[in-house]
Amino acid sequence: MTRVLVLNGPNLGRLGSREPEVYGSASHAELVAAAGVWGAELGLEVQVRQSDDESELVGWLHEAVDTSTHVVLNPAAFTHYSYALRDAAAQVTTAGLQLIEVHLSNPYAREAFRHVSVIGPVATGTVAGFGFGSYALALRAVAERTGSHKH
Ligand code: DQA
């Protein structure tokens, strides 16, 4: 089965209580549950993780490379300035694996500092602005690009 790691960066563990007008009122636990359902529908084995720690996220990207696992990544604020995460993300796509950058909100409709993504240039593609739907669309992209939805 095609494996996908869904990785969420800093403050995303606070989903539901953090700025619900921007990020919605559903919790991270609800995202984990929803991603499991979408994955099952798409024939993907999905594991969702969240960390506020840059080095932990870098380690998980290394793990993805070493285990040939595709990645859906919401780098959160690291999107805008973490070259360490960018370099780790680049190893995923260079290895021929999918790395889809996702955002709940549409960063381009927000503050100027959110208009830059250092991850985007090394990602397979980016989905932003659809709330939890961004993750559903990203998983669908992985399924279609790996052919796993046909099995
Ligand atoms: C975010 C957008 C980022 O700018 C922000 O720092 C986040 C969440 C999103 O999902 O919309 O923490 O990645």
Side-chain angles (χ1 to χ4, degrees), residues 10 18 23 74 76-77 80 103-105 110 114:
R18 172 196 181 203
Y23 299 114
N74 186 341
H80 313 301
H103 300 283
L104 294 151
S105 68
R110 301 179 63 198
R114 297 186 203 276

Side-chain angles (χ1 to χ4, degrees), residues 1-4 6 31-48 72 135-140 142-143 148-149 151:
M1 207 167 182
T2 304
R3 288 184 302 275
V4 185
V6 176
L31 176 59
V32 173
V37 172
W38 298 323
E41 285 168 4
L42 292 163
L44 302 171
E45 187 185 313
V46 174
Q47 201 185 107
V48 185
V72 170
Y135 291 81
L137 291 165
L139 287 169
R140 176 150 181 204
V142 172
S148 60
H149 63 304
H151 297 245

